[in-house]
Amino acid sequence: MSVNIIPMPNKIFEYDGEKVFKENDFFFEKKDGLGEEGYELLINQDGVFVSYSTDKGRFYAGKTLEQLKKKNGSLPFIRISDSPRFSYRAFMIDSARHMQSVDEIKKYIEAAALYKFNVFHWHLTDDQGWRVEIEKYPELTRVGAFRNGHGFGSKNKAVYGGYYTKDEIRDIVEFCRERYIDVIPEIDMPGHMIAAIASYPELSCSGKPIGVELNPGVHRTILCAGNEKVFDFCFDVIDEVCELFPYEYFHIGGDEAPKNRWDTCPKCKERIREEGLKNSEELQGYFVNRIIGHLKEKGKKAVVWNESLKSKMLQPGALVSDWMDKEHLCEDWANSGGKIIIEDFFHYYLDYNYGITPLKKTYSFNPMLEKLDIEGRKSVMGVETPIWTEFVENFDRLCYLCFPRMMAVAESGWTNWGRRNYRDFVRRAEANRRLLLSMGINMAPKKDWDPLPFGRIKDQLSHYTKFLTRENLRCVRANKKEDREAKKRKKGGAD
């Protein structure tokens, strides 16, 4: 193929010839049977003919035409019949660790729309920052939105932070709606809540004042599942956030929530007893299910990270994000009819440099997992590619890491597996550089895409990954030290 379309259409035939067309040379026809996102495109000497069943299909035909248009304004003679492999094709931006401006987010969304993504998962809260205005809890943005330094190993000690006003969020949601992109907010709970607890210390098991977190890793301070006021807080936050996002799904996290504080908290132990639960893992199941129940009352469905499956209590109907599932719980969930999306840590996480995750590695990953049976394969709704921003302080760095790997995930989500070709994808990706530059997106240079063979991990470790490993080890050591001190206190009768 000589065309430069990403994702590659599922049926395409090229003919000799091209032409510059005038506005009245374009003809649009609504046609049954093409699916919600499908379209047909015919370009010949007589004009440009677009068929579609819904406005969404017409929109995607337009995005294909954008990529087909050559420097001189001409379009090649071609016939395309196209529809997506998966109905759910998502990108995620972490705005909690480092924020992006509204204009920067819009640039990213515009590029995502070009490559036919249809879901924006917006990570708005975490240990290191609270980024959404909540009127009932003003301390979340007065305290929780700012930390005492840039953090994550940065030498910049100036106060860092900010948040999006409700009007700014509405503006971004409308911008996405015009591009047929649903926006899913994420308020992660019960873990990754230190920014909220710094704002309202009574939300934790200890109730002790703490600061907004500066470091990466998995932190033990989480919401107290035995405190009924915590649920009131979560419900109130959800209610306000739901008013901003008029879509079906709401992401509630549920990942990386250590239970050590729950194991020693009198309120949590009492909750376990009252609810007839076996342990703290089931307490998280209880916590997540109560949140899901509240979302149902709001007419919403929950999205959770795969750790929420560990309790074996997750309510049917939840959508599970499979990011790192060593126990294959997601495949069991899917094989029993539960819906999942694939955002594999080792292939689709865009914050790792190209030495760790080369473009070819991302492109070569098949989201249809090995242990899925026939029912399970039907339960895969689609794919998602996140960019976490602990070490991504500016938009240029974000674009460098995301493009072209985000485009590779777009092709996995849209194009049937047998039609994919890596060598041709590389050619098309490079040809798209000009179009991305016109949007304000600086793609990584081609020489960086596949820097080393996959096996040479030692040579591939960057300062970034070394630091992340060191900080995670620091957290592990701190947790072990806390365990030892707790055992000493218990042995001495201090507890």
Side-chain angles (χ1 to χ4, degrees), residues 302-317:
V303 189
V304 296
W305 297 107
N306 57 251
E307 287 95 324
S308 290
L309 290 171
K310 289 184 177 180
S311 70
K312 311 289 187 182
M313 293 169 59
L314 186 64
Q315 286 190 14

Side-chain angles (χ1 to χ4, degrees), residues 126-145:
D126 216 295
D127 294 320
Q128 298 84 5
W130 187 281
R131 306 289 175 227
V132 55
E133 182 182 18
I134 303 295
E135 292 173 6
K136 191 165 185 176
Y137 297 94
E139 297 298 287
L140 289 172
T141 46
R142 194 186 72 80
V143 175

Side-chain angles (χ1 to χ4, degrees), residues 237-256:
V237 168
I238 286 170
D239 289 350
E240 286 199 37
V241 174
C242 281
E243 292 174 1
L244 301 171
F245 298 90
Y247 297 105
E248 180 180 16
Y249 287 104
F250 191 114
H251 207 306
I252 58 173
D255 65 313
E256 297 179 332

Side-chain angles (χ1 to χ4, degrees), residues 116-130:
K116 302 182 175 72
F117 283 93
N118 62 359
V119 176
F120 171 24
H121 169 190
W122 199 0
H123 189 80
L124 287 165
T125 66
D126 216 295
D127 294 320
Q128 298 84 5
W130 187 281

